[in-house]
């Protein structure tokens, strides 16, 4: 439902599934992002529509871009909180309608990360999001395949899971791109989705990433497992809820000491490896090695002389020498501690009995 103003009176109205969504459902940032996707796709020569509804379905797409070979990219902007099952169901509906869904979020704690095809941008005001051409870097969701030597990688060997071998293994590293470039590359099929399974300690959950068609083909040809796109969402059993007894006392003004636990970071940006080995025939880009630090050339000089010992002036007592003088164990002034007739106590401490 939504509130509509008619002749100065606010009326509660129901949404109609036969008409477009009411604009009050969307904030300024959401509408600005939709406008940017629409303008970027149009400037790139692609047909774009906003609030496109699929046939025989009640699902709306924020921006529908028709790309190369007639493929349809469904861009959904999700800046507010949304549950993962809801995003998965909408993704399944988009696939059934012949569309490739992609979600855009602005926080690393969004529940739909790695549950649906996604990309993450920085949280910015709507004025910056609305204008195409403004820098808007994609922080997560796009990866590039590199190959690393096993004995030089900090990860476990996918063949042995203990120690290292002398082979090469693939590594998915984060790849930053501008959002305007991402819209055009997905429409041109230069960035395609890839669903990777979990890898135990290396990655405890599945991962949805965007990669180039070449990297995807090389990864599939190497024999690595790929999770197929799900056509349906399995029905989850509802959890049994035990009702709590009703408290008759009103506690609205009472201060609560409960502090909610911070949300988990689902997008950390860490690199992760592939579960299979890659031979030398796979010509993946090799990560640039760290250049060794060359010490500056300098003329050879004579070694620096050792510093002179620090000499603390002390006062001689009786007939003792400097090598026999040390601190008193009780009052710490210098006294004769070594040699003939030495004592750990000075003359005053020896004459003063200790309580």
């Amino acid at each position: 439902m939504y509130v509509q103003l008619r002749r100065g009176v606010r009326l509660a109205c129901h949404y109609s599934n036969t008409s477009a969504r009411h604009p009050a459902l969307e904030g300024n940032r959401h509408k600005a992002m939709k406008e940017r996707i629409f303008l970027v796709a149009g400037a790139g020569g692609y047909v774009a529509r906003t609030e496109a509804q699929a046939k025989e379905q009640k699902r709306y797409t924020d921006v529908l871009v028709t790309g190369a070979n007639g493929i349809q990219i469904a861009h959904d902007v999700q800046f507010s909180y949304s549950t993962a099952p809801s995003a998965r169901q909408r993704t399944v509906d988009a696939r059934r309608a012949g569309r490739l869904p992609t979600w855009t979020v602005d926080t690393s704690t969004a529940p739909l990360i790695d549950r649906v095809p996604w990309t993450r941008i920085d949280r910015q005001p709507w004025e910056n999001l609305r204008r195409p051409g403004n820098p808007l870097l994609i922080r997560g969701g796009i990866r590039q395949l590199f190959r690393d030597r096993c004995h030089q990688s900090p990860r476990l060997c996918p063949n042995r899971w203990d120690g290292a071998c002398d082979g090469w293994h693939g590594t998915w590293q984060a790849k930053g791109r501008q959002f305007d470039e991402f819209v055009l590359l997905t429409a041109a099929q230069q960035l395609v989705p890839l669903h990777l399974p979990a890898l135990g300690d290396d990655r405890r959950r599945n991962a949805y990433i965007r990669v180039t068609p070449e990297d995807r083909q090389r990864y599939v040809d190497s024999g690595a497992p790929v999770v197929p796109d799900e056509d349906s969402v399995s029905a989850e059993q509802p959890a049994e809820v035990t009702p709590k007894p009703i408290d008759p006392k009103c506690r609205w003004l009472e201060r609560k000491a409960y502090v909610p636990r911070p949300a988990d970071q689902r997008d950390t940006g860490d690199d992760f490896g592939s579960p299979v080995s890659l031979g030398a025939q796979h010509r993946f880009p090799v990560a640039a090695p760290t250049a060794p630090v060359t010490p500056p050339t300098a003329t050879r000089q004579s070694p620096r002389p050792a510093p002179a010992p620090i000499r603390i002036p002390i006062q001689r007592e009786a007939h003792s020498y400097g090598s026999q003088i040390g601190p008193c164990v009780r009052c710490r002034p210098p006294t004769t501690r070594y040699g003939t007739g030495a004592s750990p106590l000075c003359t005053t401490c020896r004459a003063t009995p200790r309580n």
Side-chain angles (χ1 to χ4, degrees):
M1 299 182 65
Y2 66 97
V3 177
Q4 191 177 72
L5 187 62
R6 296 181 183 177
R7 297 181 180 180
V9 179
R10 292 186 176 91
L11 300 178
C13 304
H14 290 273
Y15 288 108
S16 176
N17 295 329
T18 59
S19 60
R21 290 185 293 179
H22 194 270
L25 283 174
E26 303 173 353
N28 293 332
R29 299 174 61 252
H30 189 107
K31 291 184 287 186
M33 199 65 186
K34 286 172 49 180
E35 183 178 353
R36 179 167 186 160
I37 298 174
F38 178 82
L39 295 177
V40 169
Y46 299 103
V47 179
R49 291 185 300 161
T50 59
E51 299 298 337
Q53 183 181 15
K55 296 181 180 180
E56 299 180 359
Q57 291 186 2
K58 300 179 181 179
R59 299 286 184 183
Y60 288 88
T61 301
D62 289 336
V63 182
L64 182 64
V65 179
T66 303
N69 301 325
I71 192 169
Q72 294 183 338
I73 310 296
H75 289 269
D76 283 313
V77 181
Q78 193 65 45
F79 289 161
S80 59
Y81 179 82
S82 177
T83 60
S86 175
R88 290 181 58 195
Q89 184 61 60
R90 294 178 60 182
T91 301
V92 170
D93 293 342
R95 290 198 182 106
R96 291 176 180 175
R99 302 173 177 178
L100 292 181
T102 176
W103 295 77
T104 302
V105 298
D106 61 349
T107 174
S108 60
T109 59
L112 55 86
I113 292 179
D114 286 335
R115 303 295 296 274
V116 294
W118 62 279
T119 52
R120 181 176 67 88
I121 61 176
D122 291 331
R123 187 178 182 87
Q124 296 187 13
W126 69 270
E127 295 86 355
N128 296 344
L129 297 177
R130 182 173 177 269
R131 302 174 183 175
N134 281 358
L136 187 59
L137 184 65
I138 294 180
R139 298 295 183 179
I142 302 178
R143 297 276 175 169
Q144 187 175 3
L145 185 61
F146 289 87
R147 63 185 182 97
D148 293 333
R149 205 62 179 266
C150 183
H151 63 268
Q152 297 177 352
S153 176
R155 286 172 295 274
L156 295 177
C157 177
N159 295 334
R160 302 180 179 179
W161 292 104
D162 185 13
C165 66
D166 197 26
W168 295 82
H169 306 303
T171 303
W172 292 105
Q173 299 182 8
K175 177 68 173 180
R177 290 186 180 274
Q178 292 294 329
F179 186 81
D180 298 347
E181 182 185 9
F182 165 76
V183 174
L184 300 179
L185 289 177
T186 52
Q189 288 298 286
Q190 296 301 318
L191 283 177
V192 294
L194 180 61
H195 194 182
L196 303 178
L199 295 177
D201 294 337
D202 195 3
R203 191 177 66 253
R204 298 184 179 274
R205 65 172 183 266
N206 294 3
Y208 266 105
I209 59 177
R210 291 275 178 175
V211 298
T212 60
E214 294 78 12
D215 285 349
R216 177 186 173 88
Q217 190 63 34
R218 292 165 183 165
Y219 182 81
V220 174
D221 292 344
S222 64
V226 177
V227 179
D229 295 335
E230 300 178 0
D231 296 334
S232 61
V233 179
S234 59
E236 300 180 357
Q237 297 294 336
E240 297 182 359
V241 180
T242 303
K244 296 182 179 180
I246 299 177
D247 189 358
K249 183 179 178 180
C250 178
R251 305 182 183 276
W252 181 69
L253 295 179
E254 294 183 1
R255 300 185 63 179
K256 297 182 179 180
Y258 171 73
V259 178
R261 185 175 62 89
D264 297 332
Q265 297 287 335
R266 296 188 61 87
D267 178 23
T268 59
D270 298 336
D271 301 339
F272 53 85
S274 64
V276 296
S277 297
L278 303 175
Q281 69 275 11
H282 298 279
R283 298 184 177 276
F284 295 123
V286 182
T290 305
V293 179
T294 305
T297 58
T299 58
R300 189 170 181 178
Q301 301 177 354
S302 58
R304 182 179 301 176
I310 301 176
R311 300 182 182 276
I312 303 177
I314 57 177
Q315 182 181 2
R316 290 189 177 184
E317 297 183 4
H319 301 283
S320 58
Y321 298 93
S323 59
Q324 299 177 354
I325 295 177
C328 175
V329 297
R330 184 179 299 179
C331 60
R332 308 305 297 175
T335 182
T336 306
R337 292 198 56 178
Y338 311 100
T340 305
S343 175
L345 299 177
C346 63
T347 307
T348 305
C349 293
R350 280 182 289 178
T352 304
R354 187 172 183 181
N355 297 333

